Amino acid sequence: MMIPLSYNSVSVHLGRVPCDLLPLIALDSVLRKPCFSVSQFFNCGSQRRSKKQNNSIVMSSNNLRTNNFLRHVESMRLHPSGAGHIPYLNAIILGESLATEEDDFVLPSEDFASQANVQSPEQYLKLYKRSIEDPDGFWSEIASQFYWKQRWGDKVCDENFDIRNGNIKIEWFKGGITNICYNCLDRNVEAGLGDKVAIYWEGNEPSLDATLTYSQLLDQVCQLANYLKDIGVKKGDAVIIYLPMLMELPIAMLACARIGAVHSVVFAGFSAEALTQRIIDCKPKVVITCNAVKRGPKAIHLKDIVDTAIHDSAQNGGISIDKCLVYENPSAMKKEDTKWKEGRDIWWQDVTPQYPTTCPVEWVDAEDPLFLLYTSGSTGKPKGVLHTTGGYMVYTATTFKYAFDYKPSDIYWCTADCGWITGHSYVTYGPMLNGASVVVFEGAPSYPDSGRCWDIVDKYKVTIFYTAPTLVRSLMRDGDAFVTRYSRKSLRVLGSVGEPINPSAWRWFYNVVGDSRCPISDTWWQTETGGFMITPLPGAWPQKPGSATFPFFGVQPVIVDEKGIEIEGECNGYLCIKKSWPGAFRTLYGDHERYETTYFKPFAGYYFSGDGCSRDKDGYHWLTGRVDDVINVSGHRIGTAEVESALVSHPQCAEAAVVGVEHEVKGQGIYAFVTVVDGVPYSEQLRKDLILTVRKLIGAFAAPDKIHWAPGLPKTRSGKIMRRILRKIASRQLDELGDTSTLADPSVVNQLIELADS
């Protein structure tokens, strides 16, 4: 879809002075008495902070009426409360630092907005409204930009989203014949991008790097695809990929997609037990792995883990794996030191170069499976989230383009592993569908020191940097010096993914990493959604630190109460989605009943995200964490993310994780694990100060019952905090800690246990 690049005229007055306008800017057509133009505002410099603006806004009744689906989005056009006077509104323009915790808004600069893919609230509203009122036309127009061997049928979308009307069904572009690998690679080569770098690979050691152009990547994908076909892998067969962040990981994903095989990437940090579960469930024709990988100074013997999993799959599940393709990673392990089973194990480098660099495409229906990605649940059978081809392709490409304001000249780096959905959608498929140049990093972000990320940013001139709040907080804890010794001048857009980012970390990310120049796309989405659902569009509207802001095109978020009743205006409740979107997952592999029960039965007529959410008076969305991470204290429902954010706002708190524990009086109590800034000693006074901070920012009812000092938090190698372990430690159920093999540093658990009563 072509989006016009004109900047719409708006009226605005901002600053830390009396102000009558929301920086989301009431449009000229909405105002009876305009203030002054946006160009005047952007050019007035520091003078705007001394000027007083006494004009008031008078809304016509026509402008207050909204369509049902726009009722919380169109607040962007209006005064923050819908009407009335706000005596002080604190806002800055992109390029200025967020000086205090009281700064509420960061407004796109005129220069950034004028070049953005979406440039104003009015432009967004026009597109969003069409995506809801005419989804067939909206998504057909976008889908037509990709190659389809055969166009879809009369229905763009066919769905039943209400379990009361029968089985849940979601179909997009049914009857359309395409191939996502062709659209990622062949289509770009044919468009003249063959010599453009597709992947910049950065090894664990700073001295190791490599590149692949789109032509070279296509050649290697075809060679692997031909090998897989030769050993009997066919359309619809499953392939397990257990690889670290080598270039061979996206190569393997694309090779499977090329021949219609269903890939299931398993994060190369999962234990043999977790890998066994996935092998038994999807019954793959082949497992692809490498002999070992180094994460920082530590070598991880992946082939040994695979050997155990293959053995256990046969013993416990009757699943026999006849072929295991092994990539030799010489920087981590010598070939001769690798354990080997003749007849089953094959070296990647020995066989794939023998195959042709062209491979016919297996054309698939839009609703044919593309990949299985298992959620990393700690107990019970893992959930195999199934995504299909056509809708996922269209949605990931579109969300990547607009949420990051992608330009063809950008160098993009997402720090996620392809073992997670972020690596699928925003390392491999979304970027390559747009012909982007992507950085793939094998190592650890703190190796050889905490400046490694910014060294990589400068080395490759990264313009878009997308990472997790956990990493942001970790680097924040290590100090500004590791950041500021590098230039980072290439950075243009920052992004956050995986969990709500607390405002203090958001401000540090914005002020220090981005030098106050870069908007932050704080994205909310899930493995199940396939792509961004609620996200800033960097040039379209102001950002609030810590808020995911507004829904992406075609997404209709609602907040409901415990009875499933939609709540209007400023509120807090359960986040649900009305109607489907192209990137939605279609089922849980082999268990459609569980799919319906988990996601569609809790609130009939909606997709239930499992997340809590609040919406402020301006219509901005704030994610409060998983509903099962909501603590009910004496009848107060308290989001753990909210308490964590309050704790981390204390200058001596580097990171916090909050869980609920049983309390004989209150039902549940609040138990907080706190990591302090380096050099700060544990003390009773600090403990009191932290509790007072929560009381001040949230209320006495949210004050932690226990502060547990934590030198570190138990995290997976992707940076996720394993709250299951924290709950067991808090409850003193130390014999029920379960599998800790996926932790980046398992010794943290013993440290936490030792400090339990300190």
Side-chain angles (χ1 to χ4, degrees):
M1 175 177 292
M2 299 302 293
I3 293 182
L5 295 181
S6 61
Y7 194 89
N8 295 285
S9 174
V10 296
S11 295
V12 57
H13 180 78
L14 295 175
R16 300 183 182 92
V17 295
C19 170
D20 287 321
L21 293 181
L22 171 67
L24 282 170
I25 329 307
L27 301 168
D28 283 339
S29 60
V30 177
L31 303 179
R32 290 188 177 183
K33 296 178 72 176
C35 296
F36 54 97
S37 72
V38 70
S39 59
Q40 288 175 301
F41 166 70
F42 282 119
N43 291 325
C44 69
S46 60
Q47 294 179 359
R48 76 181 188 282
R49 293 201 175 95
S50 61
K51 288 187 176 182
K52 304 278 186 180
Q53 173 60 29
N54 296 315
N55 291 341
S56 61
I57 301 177
V58 183
M59 301 295 179
S60 75
S61 59
N62 288 336
N63 289 321
L64 289 174
R65 286 202 299 268
T66 61
N67 292 309
N68 183 52
F69 59 82
L70 284 174
R71 65 192 181 283
H72 301 304
V73 177
E74 285 195 340
S75 62
M76 296 170 63
R77 317 184 82 140
L78 309 176
H79 202 48
S81 300
H85 175 70
I86 292 184
Y88 289 91
L89 185 64
N90 298 320
I92 64 164
I93 300 174
L94 191 66
E96 300 177 357
S97 65
L98 280 159
T100 73
E101 294 285 322
E102 296 175 356
D103 289 323
D104 299 317
F105 294 97
V106 179
L107 181 73
S109 65
E110 185 177 33
D111 180 61
F112 191 99
S114 65
Q115 300 177 62
N117 292 328
V118 180
Q119 301 177 344
S120 68
E122 185 181 50
Q123 192 177 359
Y124 162 77
L125 283 165
K126 182 179 179 181
L127 289 162
Y128 181 79
K129 186 174 181 179
R130 187 186 174 210
S131 75
I132 302 301
E133 290 182 340
D134 178 25
D136 286 10
F138 181 88
W139 291 111
S140 288
E141 214 170 296
I142 294 175
S144 296
Q145 298 175 20
F146 299 96
Y147 180 81
W148 299 80
K149 188 77 170 176
Q150 175 180 304
R151 191 176 169 84
W152 50 93
D154 294 337
K155 283 188 174 181
V156 173
C157 174
D158 186 16
E159 67 177 31
N160 172 36
F161 228 52
D162 192 334
I163 200 160
R164 294 168 296 190
N165 298 330
N167 290 339
I168 298 297
K169 181 182 76 169
I170 302 169
E171 292 179 342
W172 283 82
F173 310 109
K174 178 74 172 175
I177 305 299
T178 189
N179 183 285
I180 197 170
C181 176
Y182 184 91
N183 277 287
C184 283
L185 302 181
D186 306 64
R187 175 172 149 269
N188 285 319
V189 171
E190 291 163 7
L193 300 181
D195 292 333
K196 181 176 181 177
V197 173
I199 298 175
Y200 291 98
W201 179 73
E202 175 80 3
N204 181 63
E205 300 296 333
S207 58
L208 293 175
D209 56 37
T211 61
L212 281 178
T213 65
Y214 270 93
S215 290
Q216 292 169 333
L217 179 57
L218 176 58
D219 288 350
Q220 294 201 23
V221 166
C222 286
Q223 287 180 315
L224 178 58
N226 282 322
Y227 167 76
L228 293 174
K229 286 170 63 177
D230 199 30
I231 62 172
V233 178
K234 305 182 298 299
K235 177 183 176 182
D237 288 341
V239 174
I240 288 263
I241 302 171
Y242 188 73
L243 283 169
M245 288 298 281
L246 305 171
M247 289 191 288
E248 284 65 28
L249 178 45
I251 286 171
M253 295 166 66
L254 289 161
C256 290
R258 190 170 193 85
I259 62 174
V262 181
H263 63 70
S264 183
V265 182
V266 179
F267 172 57
F270 273 127
S271 64
E273 180 184 359
L275 181 57
T276 300
Q277 288 179 318
R278 288 148 176 79
I279 291 173
I280 291 172
D281 193 61
C282 75
K283 304 172 183 59
K285 279 287 186 71
V286 60
V287 173
I288 302 176
T289 189
C290 75
N291 54 350
V293 65
K294 289 192 76 174
R295 291 275 297 178
K298 181 182 178 182
I300 303 166
H301 297 170
L302 298 181
K303 176 62 164 51
D304 292 352
I305 295 170
V306 170
D307 287 345
T308 301
I310 291 176
H311 173 269
D312 291 349
S313 299
Q315 290 288 105
N316 303 328
I319 304 300
S320 175
I321 302 297
D322 297 326
K323 295 293 180 186
C324 180
L325 184 65
V326 185
Y327 182 82
E328 181 196 359
N329 191 8
S331 65
M333 190 179 198
K334 294 179 180 178
K335 195 173 185 178
E336 55 269 26
D337 294 334
T338 306
K339 294 178 183 176
W340 207 249
K341 182 173 181 179
E342 292 296 337
R344 184 196 71 187
D345 299 341
I346 301 101
W347 287 113
W348 176 309
Q349 289 95 325
D350 285 352
V351 293
T352 59
Q354 301 174 18
Y355 285 86
T357 55
T358 58
C359 176
V361 169
E362 181 72 39
W363 300 106
V364 300
D365 188 275
E367 282 301 316
D368 281 340
L370 173 62
F371 65 84
L372 272 175
L373 187 55
Y374 288 89
T375 56
S376 54
S378 57
T379 59
K381 180 183 176 184
K383 294 183 293 187
V385 171
L386 178 67
H387 280 282
T388 53
T389 302
Y392 175 84
M393 176 178 76
V394 172
Y395 196 70
T396 52
T398 309
T399 49
F400 174 82
K401 179 178 180 180
Y402 291 111
F404 293 129
D405 191 49
Y406 171 73
K407 307 289 193 296
S409 59
D410 281 320
I411 306 296
Y412 167 77
W413 181 23
C414 170
T415 64
D417 192 287
C418 287
W420 310 109
I421 187 63
T422 305
H424 283 59
S425 298
Y426 301 113
V427 173
T428 302
Y429 292 118
M432 291 183 185
L433 287 164
N434 282 279
S437 296
V438 180
V439 175
V440 172
F441 176 42
E442 177 192 29
S446 58
Y447 178 79
D449 62 39
S450 294
R452 184 69 188 278
C453 284
W454 322 120
D455 180 43
I456 293 171
V457 165
D458 283 358
K459 179 176 180 177
Y460 297 107
K461 302 295 184 286
V462 172
T463 56
I464 303 172
F465 178 73
Y466 188 40
T467 194
T470 299
L471 178 59
V472 173
R473 290 191 295 266
S474 174
L475 297 173
M476 181 179 170
R477 179 189 181 190
D478 292 337
D480 296 1
F482 283 110
V483 184
T484 56
R485 74 186 189 202
Y486 296 95
S487 164
R488 297 159 287 111
K489 295 298 183 188
S490 60
L491 288 174
R492 191 175 68 81
V493 175
L494 302 174
S496 171
V497 60
E499 59 182 308
I501 182 170
N502 52 290
S504 58
W506 196 103
R507 289 181 171 91
W508 182 84
F509 200 25
Y510 172 83
N511 283 332
V512 178
V513 174
D515 282 334
S516 307
R517 299 177 291 101
C518 305
I520 299 174
S521 286
D522 178 10
T523 61
W524 175 78
W525 61 298
Q526 301 174 311
T527 302
E528 293 88 346
T529 72
F532 305 145
M533 300 291 280
I534 304 176
T535 177
L537 302 185
W541 58 74
Q543 300 177 310
K544 292 187 180 186
S547 171
T549 72
F550 295 100
F552 192 73
F553 306 130
V555 177
Q556 299 182 54
V558 296
I559 297 176
V560 303
D561 63 17
E562 291 184 356
K563 296 180 180 178
I565 307 298
E566 291 186 28
I567 314 173
E568 299 291 334
E570 190 174 359
C571 64
N572 187 20
Y574 301 94
L575 180 59
C576 294
I577 308 295
K578 235 186 211 183
K579 307 285 288 182
S580 71
W581 59 99
F585 73 132
R586 304 308 196 244
T587 191
L588 292 176
Y589 179 68
D591 200 346
H592 196 72
E593 182 180 355
R594 187 181 183 187
Y595 167 75
E596 294 181 337
T597 300
T598 303
Y599 301 98
F600 296 94
K601 274 189 177 177
F603 302 106
Y606 302 98
Y607 165 79
F608 174 44
S609 69
D611 281 337
C613 183
S614 64
R615 185 174 51 233
D616 67 20
K617 62 184 181 296
D618 307 329
Y620 282 65
H621 294 81
W622 301 77
L623 276 299
T624 56
R626 300 293 297 171
V627 170
D628 55 14
D629 285 336
V630 172
I631 304 170
N632 196 325
V633 180
S634 300
H636 297 284
R637 290 180 60 79
I638 303 166
T640 56
E642 189 177 11
V643 181
E644 290 165 2
S645 183
L647 287 166
V648 175
S649 71
H650 190 287
Q652 292 180 320
C653 176
E655 192 166 24
V658 170
V659 297
V661 292
E662 288 187 12
H663 192 285
E664 60 182 7
V665 176
K666 296 185 287 188
Q668 280 189 298
I670 297 175
Y671 195 109
F673 293 84
V674 170
T675 303
V676 299
V677 172
D678 279 350
V680 173
Y682 304 143
S683 70
E684 188 58 28
Q685 186 58 49
L686 178 56
R687 192 192 308 269
K688 291 177 180 177
D689 289 346
L690 289 165
I691 293 171
L692 284 172
T693 299
V694 178
R695 291 172 67 98
K696 179 182 176 183
L697 294 179
I698 304 176
F701 63 91
D705 296 280
K706 169 76 174 179
I707 300 287
H708 185 136
W709 303 122
L713 294 172
K715 299 173 185 176
T716 65
R717 295 181 186 94
S718 67
K720 286 272 190 178
I721 297 171
M722 291 189 72
R723 297 174 188 276
R724 167 180 62 84
I725 292 175
L726 295 180
R727 290 191 190 97
K728 297 299 184 184
I729 293 173
S731 301
R732 301 298 188 268
Q733 296 172 311
L734 304 181
D735 57 342
E736 299 176 21
L737 293 177
D739 182 14
T740 60
S741 65
T742 61
L743 293 180
D745 182 9
S747 68
V748 164
V749 175
N750 289 330
Q751 292 176 339
L752 291 175
I753 293 171
E754 290 170 3
L755 288 167
D757 297 313
S758 64

